[in-house]
Amino acid sequence: MAPVNLDSSARAQPSDDAKASIRTVLKGLECITPLVRSVEETPEPISTEVQGTIPPWIHGNLLRNGPGKFEFGNTHYNHWFDGMAMLHQFKIENGQVTYKSLFLQSDAYKKNSEKDRIMVSEFGTLAMPDPCKNFFQRFLSRFEMIRKAPSPTDNASVSFVKYKGDYYVSTETNFMHKVDPESLETVEKVDWSKFIAVNGATAHPHYDPDGTTYNMGNSYGSKGALYNIIRVPPEKTDSRDTLQGAKVLCSIVPANKSHPSYYHSFAMSKNYVVFIEQPIKMDLLKIVTCKLRGKDLSQGIYWDPKQDTVFHLVDKRTGQVSPVKYCTKAISTFHQINAFEEGGCLMLDMCCSDDGQAINNYLIQNLRKSGDALDEVYNTMCRVFPRRFVLPLDVTHDTPTDTDLNTRPSSQATCVKIGTNKVFCQHEDLHGDDLRDYGGLEFPQINYGRSNTQPYRYFYGCGFRHLVGDSLLKMDLKDKTFKVWYRKGFYPSEPVFVPSPDAVEEDDGVILSVVLTPSEDKGTFLLVLDAKTFDELGRANVPVNIPYGFHGTFKASD
């Protein structure tokens, strides 16, 4: 997900801006250890007990991804993001639901399983030489680690993505795995670097209506790093075609080539890709030498609040990077909501925080805390809220300075030209003060097929009055109000919108979310909400334990 320096002993306190966003200090948070505990896979479909009604028009698979195994033998992962990928399928047909799960058969999983110890380094965990070897053998093993360049993990535990009609599971390295969405079997390991010159890609691509897919990936060379916009064509040329035809649409030079920004995703409007260069930085020298120094990769990533955040616009048709740089104060963002063009401006909606260090708290040891120690972890985190930035598209030499270029009366955001090819943007909150009582919002989702790159009214997400989502929210941009689904002690996952077959309005459909109950053994269920009213329609109780996951998608039946 979102890496930064994970030294919990050096965890920074929130800035004044960050403290201002923490309205309520919470006490007595429930222990959520069961949500980040290893579970067994469920390789054969099992039936669920349905309460209420699952609309009979829903036919397809809710596919979910996330960590499901946090140790091998006596070796344990340090960070939530390091756990081995577990793939989940909720098959919905005729008002009934079955569930199955499998561990991704990555090379990392296979090597770790064979030796029953952590053999492959992950984001927050450095694989060490076998302690059972004698001193000389361990020395040779460490020497071999140093001699070899760091090899990225293929533990694709973040999301399900789609290219050319095929489904893949992805993380942020150069490796993906093609997966059969019906059997969940791992089909093929795919290396981005075999097709284009990138060293990875995000787990959050964007799609044009014709199936053309856009993504981003860094490349590293002797002269430093580049940010690359990737375009993948919508159709295969043969039955085994994977990423054939993928191209780098353009490359963007970082402000500091040896310290490029970390990014988890990007935004896209009808005509532009928007890359957000944020002050979460990667020290490439530290990353390359992490094995030599005996440190995990995360120790090379840090937050620099003295730097502005910069928005880069790329024309999707020509690949031309706009010479205008739109900047704002230091913020961090991991998930964008939507972007669209209107009235000569690009509206950029995303979930933002005023501090880029909150992810420090997602060490497994922190997630498994209880009592005052858990409360302290949560209350030192900066909250994440939905915001809108307005980027004027027609900025020229003649554009006046020190004048608000946002002429849309419906938006309180400002954008002012402050120099040649430089515009400073101040956001508009997409919420009222009452959202603070729900801990902000993350894991945003929209009616993607209808609203992506278009003006829209609704988005959905999780409220975070805990370290993981503890409520589901439906935000209405018309008046900045919201609807809530909340049950004390229940922890819903990212909401997935599924449109009804006869949909007329934007919110005609359902919300699907996997809800976990740490205080109850095998208390997991698939929740189905009416997306319009946010009333519960039904739930499918799953008789096995499931860990809290990250992202997924709904695949409608053919």
Side-chain angles (χ1 to χ4, degrees):
M1 294 275 289
V4 289
N5 192 309
L6 300 180
D7 183 358
S8 60
S9 64
R11 186 170 66 239
Q13 295 299 310
S15 64
D16 290 340
D17 284 343
K19 289 177 180 176
S21 73
I22 303 175
R23 181 175 181 178
T24 303
V25 175
L26 296 182
K27 294 184 178 181
L29 292 176
E30 178 182 18
C31 178
I32 57 170
T33 295
L35 305 189
V36 286
R37 185 176 288 163
S38 297
V39 300
E40 298 295 325
E41 59 185 6
T42 306
E44 297 298 326
I46 57 174
S47 299
T48 65
E49 177 191 1
V50 173
Q51 294 177 278
T53 301
I54 309 293
W57 56 262
I58 307 176
H59 286 277
N61 296 333
L62 176 65
L63 304 171
R64 296 274 302 156
N65 193 358
K69 186 173 178 60
F70 299 96
E71 67 283 312
F72 285 90
N74 295 322
T75 58
H76 301 259
Y77 289 114
N78 298 323
H79 197 274
W80 187 22
F81 304 160
D82 297 344
M84 292 291 97
M86 174 173 263
L87 315 181
H88 309 265
Q89 178 203 81
F90 295 84
K91 180 179 287 292
I92 310 173
E93 290 182 337
N94 302 317
Q96 299 299 311
V97 180
T98 61
Y99 169 79
K100 68 181 298 184
S101 64
L102 288 176
F103 282 110
L104 176 69
Q105 295 300 301
S106 63
D107 290 345
Y109 180 80
K110 293 176 182 177
K111 290 177 181 178
N112 296 338
S113 298
E114 180 184 359
K115 299 294 186 180
D116 197 27
R117 58 184 300 271
I118 295 173
M119 299 291 295
V120 179
S121 296
E122 299 291 339
F123 165 64
T125 305
L126 180 67
M128 301 302 292
D130 189 347
C132 295
K133 294 180 178 179
N134 62 39
F135 176 81
F136 183 68
Q137 290 173 321
R138 292 200 303 272
F139 173 79
L140 291 179
S141 296
R142 175 61 69 88
F143 180 79
E144 184 69 9
M145 289 171 60
I146 295 171
R147 187 180 65 82
K148 290 183 177 180
S151 178
T153 179
D154 67 336
N155 177 36
S157 62
V158 177
S159 189
F160 272 87
V161 297
K162 191 176 180 180
Y163 294 98
K164 302 184 180 183
D166 291 326
Y167 285 81
Y168 297 80
V169 288
S170 178
T171 179
E172 296 177 339
T173 70
N174 54 303
F175 296 117
M176 297 190 302
H177 292 269
K178 185 186 292 187
V179 171
D180 184 326
E182 292 300 322
S183 69
L184 293 186
E185 295 289 344
T186 305
V187 177
E188 179 184 4
K189 180 178 175 179
V190 178
D191 183 350
W192 275 98
S193 65
K194 301 297 184 183
F195 299 90
I196 52 176
V198 296
N199 296 96
T202 82
H204 292 286
H206 276 293
Y207 309 95
D208 273 344
D210 69 352
T212 300
T213 307
Y214 294 84
N215 210 329
M216 288 197 61
N218 280 0
S219 59
Y220 307 110
S222 59
K223 296 183 179 180
L226 292 172
Y227 311 120
N228 300 292
I229 310 298
I230 304 166
R231 181 165 58 196
V232 181
E235 297 178 351
K236 299 179 182 180
T237 56
D238 59 59
S239 60
R240 284 191 51 80
D241 186 351
T242 50
L243 297 176
Q244 294 290 346
K247 294 182 178 179
V248 172
L249 181 63
C250 76
S251 297
I252 301 170
V253 179
N256 184 332
K257 288 187 176 182
S258 63
H259 291 244
S261 290
Y262 167 80
Y263 54 89
H264 181 69
S265 57
F266 63 99
M268 186 180 83
S269 69
K270 182 178 180 180
N271 294 299
Y272 297 93
V273 167
V274 186
F275 167 54
I276 302 103
E277 189 174 19
Q278 60 186 345
I280 299 178
K281 298 296 182 179
M282 301 187 293
D283 185 324
L284 297 185
L285 179 60
K286 285 187 175 181
I287 290 173
V288 169
T289 61
C290 62
K291 286 186 176 181
L292 174 64
R293 296 181 297 108
K295 302 289 186 180
D296 57 71
L297 182 147
S298 68
Q299 301 302 311
I301 302 175
Y302 64 96
W303 165 249
D304 184 357
K306 296 179 181 179
Q307 295 193 26
D308 282 347
T309 300
V310 179
F311 306 110
H312 300 270
L313 268 61
V314 177
D315 189 309
K316 288 165 60 178
R317 296 160 298 185
T318 65
Q320 181 177 357
V321 183
S322 172
V324 180
K325 303 306 175 191
Y326 305 86
C327 60
T328 190
K329 66 177 184 178
I331 58 171
S332 65
T333 179
F334 301 107
H335 300 108
Q336 286 72 56
I337 305 168
N338 200 4
F340 61 93
E341 299 155 40
E342 185 176 76
C345 294
L346 189 150
M347 315 299 150
L348 176 59
D349 297 350
M350 56 190 194
C351 293
C352 303
S353 171
D354 293 316
D355 191 331
Q357 301 195 86
I359 206 70
N360 294 353
N361 296 282
Y362 287 98
L363 291 164
I364 291 177
Q365 66 184 25
N366 286 338
L367 288 164
R368 292 176 177 172
K369 287 180 177 179
S370 61
D372 292 344
L374 178 60
D375 295 346
E376 181 183 1
V377 171
Y378 178 78
N379 288 313
T380 57
M381 292 176 67
C382 188
R383 307 294 181 257
V384 178
F385 290 97
R387 297 173 178 173
R388 172 168 292 176
F389 292 88
V390 175
L391 314 182
L393 295 172
D394 188 19
V395 178
T396 67
H397 176 77
D398 297 326
T399 300
T401 59
D402 302 324
T403 300
D404 187 5
L405 302 178
N406 179 18
T407 59
R408 299 169 66 255
S410 61
S411 173
Q412 300 170 351
T414 63
C415 42
V416 177
K417 182 181 175 183
I418 60 173
T420 302
N421 291 332
K422 189 171 185 179
V423 175
F424 188 83
C425 303
Q426 296 193 34
H427 71 268
E428 169 192 6
D429 289 334
L430 297 181
H431 62 91
D433 284 344
D434 49 356
L435 182 60
R436 300 185 187 279
D437 294 331
Y438 286 88
L441 182 147
E442 252 292 5
F443 290 156
Q445 291 286 312
I446 60 174
N447 181 345
Y448 193 94
R450 172 172 175 154
S451 299
N452 189 51
T453 77
Q454 302 296 322
Y456 70 115
R457 179 174 174 179
Y458 303 108
F459 64 96
Y460 311 86
C462 287
F464 273 74
R465 283 180 298 191
H466 210 299
L467 297 183
V468 298
D470 77 327
S471 61
L472 292 169
L473 307 173
K474 176 187 179 181
M475 306 296 296
D476 187 340
L477 289 172
K478 184 176 181 180
D479 53 11
K480 298 183 180 179
T481 59
F482 60 90
K483 299 181 188 300
V484 182
W485 183 92
Y486 169 75
R487 303 290 186 273
K488 183 176 175 56
F490 290 5
Y491 298 87
S493 69
E494 168 191 65
V496 174
F497 179 88
V498 181
S500 60
D502 54 352
V504 175
E505 298 183 324
E506 180 185 334
D507 58 348
D508 285 340
V510 298
I511 292 293
L512 303 179
S513 178
V514 180
V515 181
L516 309 181
T517 313
S519 61
E520 179 182 347
D521 186 47
K522 301 176 182 177
T524 303
F525 59 90
L526 174 65
L527 175 68
V528 184
L529 299 180
D530 184 317
K532 185 176 291 292
T533 65
F534 237 48
D535 293 332
E536 181 174 333
L537 299 176
R539 59 177 69 176
N541 297 298
V542 182
V544 297
N545 290 316
I546 299 175
Y548 198 91
F550 296 141
H551 300 290
T553 190
F554 180 78
K555 178 188 181 298
S557 297
D558 297 331

